Amino acid sequence: MLRRLCHNIDNNFEQFTAAIGVVAIGISLWIDRKYFFWPPELTQAMNDQRLDIIITVLGLGLLIMAITGNKNKSWVQIFLILCGSVICMLWFIQLWHAKLAGQTQMAHTVISEGTIFILILRAAWKI
């Protein structure tokens, strides 16, 4: 059983790594209730816990599919598209914060989300 799980992780390494990144982003946004601060009119909507829960659940779904061996390609493709869309959206929002609000400390999150997006694209290309 453990050997098969490790084999599945090895075969789906990009998907597994991207899923862990999506889960980590979802949890960190869920914990930090004041992460998005600019523009002030949209802070309530951007810091909504429901969005953070959705991001975490999408990442967990992608992670479970990577561990179990991607038995249903349609579901994997749907989850890769949804996770890629969410990460790309967050990437642009944080780039917007870094550039327009002058918050250069957000540059590392822009870089990490760009990397996760590239991993999702590579995992989608392999399927």
Side-chain angles (χ1 to χ4, degrees):
M1 173 86 172
L2 183 61
R3 185 179 204 147
R4 185 176 57 189
L5 291 177
C6 289
H7 180 70
N8 289 339
I9 291 171
D10 189 40
N11 285 342
N12 305 311
F13 187 71
E14 290 90 359
Q15 181 181 342
F16 177 77
T17 308
I20 288 177
V22 172
V23 169
I25 289 169
I27 290 172
S28 68
L29 289 174
W30 196 359
I31 292 170
D32 190 358
R33 300 297 345 127
K34 304 222 185 277
Y35 185 74
F36 295 111
F37 55 87
W38 191 84
E41 322 62 67
L42 296 177
T43 55
Q44 186 73 21
M46 288 195 290
N47 287 318
D48 191 3
Q49 284 185 342
R50 291 172 289 195
L51 296 174
D52 306 336
I53 292 169
I54 290 170
I55 293 169
T56 306
V57 168
L58 285 173
L60 286 173
L62 194 62
L63 182 67
I64 289 169
M65 287 181 207
I67 291 173
T68 58
N70 292 337
K71 294 183 177 147
N72 190 339
K73 299 292 184 199
S74 299
W75 280 109
V76 174
Q77 290 170 346
I78 289 169
F79 271 83
L80 283 170
I81 289 168
L82 290 173
C83 286
S85 300
V86 166
I87 292 299
C88 188
M89 177 195 64
L90 284 173
W91 188 21
F92 284 118
I93 288 171
Q94 290 177 352
L95 185 62
W96 188 32
H97 272 72
K99 272 297 221 196
L100 298 178
Q103 298 296 322
T104 56
Q105 68 265 25
M106 291 184 117
H108 71 282
T109 57
V110 172
I111 293 167
S112 66
E113 286 178 1
T115 305
I116 292 170
F117 184 67
I118 290 169
L119 284 171
I120 290 172
L121 288 178
R122 178 148 166 82
W125 181 71
K126 284 177 63 175
I127 290 181

